[in-house]
Amino acid sequence: MKKIKCYNYKIDKNDFVNAGKVSSEIKKNLKKIGFTNRIIRRIAVISYEGEMNIIIHSEGGEIDFEIYEDKIILKINDKGPGIDDVNLAMTEGYSTAPSEIRELGFGAGMGLPNINNCSDNFNITSSKNGTKIESTICLE
Ligand SMILES: Nc1ncnc2c1ncn2[C@@H]1O[C@H](COP(=O)(O)OP(=O)(O)OP(=O)(O)O)[C@@H](O)[C@H]1O
Ligand SMILES: [Mg+2]
C-alpha cells in the first residue's frame, strides 16, 4: 500500500521542557489532513505515551509516523537500556518510575497498556540496545 506521508521526530532523554511537543505536532498534522477526531485521539494517546516513555525511561530515541492510504503506523524506538520483562511492563499499574517522576504526575503504569488499547495492531520488542514499539491504526 502506498505511503502518503511520513514524519520523523527525535526525542531526548529527560527533556521535560519539550514533553508533549511531538504528540501535539503529530495531532496538528492529522487535523490539517482532515482525520476524524476518533482517529486523532487514539494516535495522540499512542504518541504521547511513547514520547513520555522515551523521555522518562530511555537514553533517547525517535518516533516515525507513517501515513498510508489504509493505515497509520507509529514506530517508537529508543537507544536502551531496554525493558527486562516486557510482559510485566505491559501489566496495568506496573511502573518503575521513581518518586521524583511520580511527583510530576507520571508513573501510573498505564502508558504501555494505553498504547496497546489504542492500537489495532501492537508489537513491542526490547533488548539492552533499545525498545521498539510498532503500533498500527487501521483507517478502513
Ligand atoms: N522505553 C522504555 N525503556 C525502558 N523501560 C521502559 C520503557 N517504556 C516503559 N518502560 C518500563 O515499563 C514500565 C511501564 O511503562 P508504562 O508506560 O506502562 O508506565 P509508566 O511509564 O511507568 O507510567 P505512566 O506511563 O502511566 O506515566 C515503566 O515503568 C518502565 O519500567
Ligand atoms: Mg509511561
Side-chain angles (χ1 to χ4, degrees):
M1 194 57 80
K2 212 174 86 202
K3 198 188 280 183
I4 296 168
K5 260 190 161 116
C6 67
Y7 304 84
N8 170 274
Y9 302 96
K10 309 268 185 253
I11 299 160
D12 291 331
K13 71 166 177 179
N14 292 325
D15 188 7
F16 288 97
V17 172
N18 289 307
K21 278 211 182 139
V22 168
S23 48
S24 18
E25 197 64 31
I26 288 175
K27 229 159 107 177
K28 208 166 70 192
N29 285 324
L30 289 171
K31 250 184 215 157
K32 224 184 295 173
I33 298 168
F35 284 101
T36 62
N37 285 334
R38 210 180 101 73
I39 294 284
I40 293 173
R41 254 200 306 274
R42 287 169 64 195
I43 289 169
V45 170
I46 295 165
S47 53
Y48 180 75
E49 296 295 354
E51 177 181 9
M52 290 318 305
N53 279 354
I54 291 177
I55 291 172
I56 293 171
H57 303 294
S58 90
E59 291 299 322
E62 58 190 354
I63 296 183
D64 280 305
F65 173 58
E66 304 171 351
I67 303 173
Y68 296 81
E69 279 172 15
D70 61 337
K71 64 186 175 219
I72 290 173
I73 300 181
L74 286 122
K75 293 175 182 163
I76 303 163
N77 297 325
D78 67 51
K79 298 185 277 200
I83 302 172
D84 284 340
D85 185 337
V86 170
N87 282 328
L88 187 58
M90 289 300 301
T91 310
E92 288 189 12
Y94 175 81
S95 176
T96 59
S99 56
E100 64 269 23
I101 295 293
R102 288 173 195 263
E103 276 160 24
L104 296 173
F106 304 105
M110 287 307 294
L112 292 176
N114 277 340
I115 294 175
N116 186 25
N117 288 336
C118 288
S119 306
D120 288 314
N121 228 301
F122 172 85
N123 189 55
I124 180 167
T125 57
S126 194
S127 75
K128 65 177 180 7
N129 297 318
T131 298
K132 290 182 188 303
I133 292 173
E134 189 168 311
S135 159
T136 304
I137 278 91
C138 300
L139 297 174
E140 43 197 38

